[in-house]
Amino acid sequence: MHEELYDIGDLATVLAQFPSLRVVYFDKVFGRLKFGPETESLMPPVRQLDTPGALDALKARAESGLMLFASILATRARSLDSIHINDTAHEHDSSGNPIGSWHLIGWLHILNGNRDIGGTLA
């Protein structure tokens, strides 16, 4: 099975090479993305968690990472109009015990000439 990780900037640059790319669909992409140390500071949580559990914190981190990736992709792929994301992960604690799963799905749209992203992942 192919287990490679892809740097978010490199992947966005490759996809930007398709000049007529208007819509892209990602299914279970978060686990395949590599966020370098330079992007960690760009990933503030998308939403505040009142009483975060381990699973909630992991889901919030995934949502922030996917939004960051979508933003970079929107900036580089100038023909892109919409991004659909459907992502799920089964999380485990440090001992390998399952703690649950999370699911994020939604449409993100490029809003303006600044290539801002609109939409939510729920």
Side-chain angles (χ1 to χ4, degrees):
M1 179 177 186
H2 180 73
E3 307 249 344
E4 199 66 34
L5 295 179
Y6 301 97
D7 177 83
I8 60 171
D10 292 346
L11 182 56
T13 298
V14 167
L15 291 172
Q17 308 266 334
F18 297 93
S20 60
L21 184 65
R22 304 285 306 262
V23 177
V24 67
Y25 297 85
F26 291 110
D27 188 45
K28 295 182 182 174
V29 71
F30 181 72
R32 307 299 296 270
L33 297 176
K34 181 170 56 174
F35 298 90
E38 68 280 358
T39 60
E40 292 295 320
S41 64
L42 301 174
M43 288 176 46
V46 172
R47 67 188 79 210
Q48 284 291 70
L49 301 173
D50 295 328
T51 55
L55 186 60
D56 292 330
L58 292 169
K59 181 178 180 180
R61 179 168 168 71
E63 185 177 8
S64 295
L66 289 167
M67 294 296 283
L68 175 62
F69 172 57
S71 179
I72 292 170
L73 180 58
T75 301
R76 295 189 184 173
R78 303 300 290 178
S79 63
L80 191 63
D81 293 326
S82 299
I83 301 167
H84 184 267
I85 294 176
N86 184 4
D87 216 318
T88 302
H90 304 284
E91 301 289 352
H92 299 82
D93 65 16
S94 58
S95 301
N97 300 315
I99 59 172
S101 60
W102 54 259
H103 185 219
L104 291 168
I105 188 168
W107 280 98
L108 304 174
H109 303 283
I110 289 71
L111 300 177
N112 53 35
N114 293 333
R115 310 299 291 164
D116 294 329
I117 296 286
T120 58
L121 300 175

